[in-house]
Amino acid sequence: MELTDRVCVITGAASGIGAAGARRFAAAGARVVVADLQAEAAQGIAAEIGGLAFPVDVADEAAVEVLVAGTLARFGRLDLLWANAGIAGVRAPCAEQPAESWERVLRVNLTGVFFSFRAALRPMIEAGRGVLLATASVAGLQASAGSPAYHVAKAGVVMLVRHVARAYAARGIRCNALCPGLTDTPILDPFAEALGGREAFIARVLPTIPSRRVGRPEDVAEAALFLASDAASYVNGVAFPVDGGMAS
Ligand SMILES: NC(=O)c1ccc[n+]([C@@H]2O[C@H](COP(=O)([O-])OP(=O)(O)OC[C@H]3O[C@@H](n4cnc5c(N)ncnc54)[C@H](O)[C@@H]3O)[C@@H](O)[C@H]2O)c1
């Protein structure tokens, strides 16, 4: 699957799933904009893959507009945007959920995807083509007693993706969500620490994963490459689990 010369913006690309996606898309021939809150780490990934680092807070509407305008100024077009940036927030059920964490998780994980899609849609509508991706989660498909904000935000992303797919398919734009299961990235560190370390954490979660292994960021990057590429030209509005069977 090729993305030769496609201009691809990936948010949250300085770490974990986004960084694996940036590497995979660049290897497939894309010109990748590595957009992240962590400017220095984004610079490191961009230098490694010959991409462009772009510091951005996806929760900041104006900053997301600058990201898309900057991409257009640098490359002259935008072929794909993958809204991947996300945070875990406080893991506490509804009665103990702090309002501040609830609001930040919804702002970054859901409103951030909305800002990113909206900014990217304008040039894509003009061009008559484009691909949008978002990283939702199995947590957007199934509830747990963990963080209500995270579940609600990710379920919202799945519905936003389905809306965008319906609204813009006739204008040549596809929009799909990835739903990773437990994937070995720094976002899991606080949960691992709370359980006494990474090994204790993995021992706890493995029985919940039919494939009996935790996902790798590269597993999600491969699925993203498929959805990004022309091989998926008739795939639109799906929530695609990459989860070792967790959501089944
Ligand atoms: N790792 C998992 O188990 C898992 C499972 C399902 C879904 N996800 C989702 O995958 C996505 C990527 O997470 P990851 O696992 O690679 O974690 P990660 O912590 O390694 O990467 C997240 C990246 O997003 C960036 N980011 C956070 N807030 C931002 C903001 N406001 N603006 C711009 N960038 C911001 C961080 O700096 C970081 O580089 C997230 O949306 C997460 O919710 C992860």
Side-chain angles (χ1 to χ4, degrees):
M1 281 171 287
E2 290 297 318
L3 294 177
T4 310
D5 292 335
R6 303 266 167 100
V7 176
C8 301
V9 171
I10 307 178
T11 70
S15 175
I17 291 168
R23 291 188 179 102
R24 190 66 190 90
F25 282 23
R31 288 179 281 176
V32 180
V33 178
V34 180
D36 204 288
L37 204 51
Q38 301 183 67
E40 211 172 300
Q43 194 65 58
I45 301 289
E48 181 192 322
I49 64 171
L52 175 69
F54 215 108
V56 70
D57 178 353
V58 298
D60 178 341
E61 184 176 3
V64 174
E65 294 291 333
V66 170
L67 166 65
V68 169
T71 301
L72 291 169
R74 171 72 177 76
F75 296 107
R77 62 173 215 268
L78 173 61
D79 298 299
L80 176 141
L81 181 137
W82 177 3
N84 166 77
I87 55 173
V90 174
R91 188 180 157 81
C94 195
E96 288 95 49
Q97 179 73 199
E100 202 177 296
S101 179
W102 168 274
E103 280 169 6
R104 184 66 186 165
V105 167
L106 282 164
R107 182 77 181 183
V108 174
N109 292 9
L110 179 55
T111 307
V113 177
F114 162 63
F115 288 156
S116 302
F117 280 3
R118 195 181 54 177
L121 274 165
R122 295 191 192 107
M124 288 179 180
I125 290 166
E126 207 171 302
R129 66 190 302 273
V131 176
L132 295 169
L133 295 177
T135 309
S137 171
V138 287
L141 306 174
Q142 291 179 335
S144 77
S147 162
Y150 194 80
H151 283 294
V152 168
K154 294 301 188 181
V157 168
V158 169
M159 190 50 72
L160 177 62
V161 159
R162 292 167 65 182
H163 156 76
V164 170
R166 286 250 174 195
Y168 298 100
R171 296 191 230 188
I173 295 164
R174 293 189 298 109
C175 183
N176 291 297
L178 293 142
C179 294
L182 280 165
T183 309
D184 195 0
T185 75
I187 208 171
L188 299 180
D189 289 351
F191 308 119
E193 274 162 36
L195 286 174
R198 198 176 167 282
E199 282 184 11
F201 174 74
I202 289 182
R204 169 77 74 89
V205 299
L206 274 189
T208 68
I209 307 172
S211 293
R212 294 291 185 266
R213 74 167 173 85
V214 172
R216 296 179 288 258
E218 292 74 19
D219 295 320
V220 186
E222 289 297 336
L225 176 62
F226 165 66
L227 292 174
S229 76
D230 293 343
S233 64
Y234 203 54
V235 181
N236 205 3
V238 304
F240 192 101
V242 188
D243 66 347
M246 269 181 99
S248 59

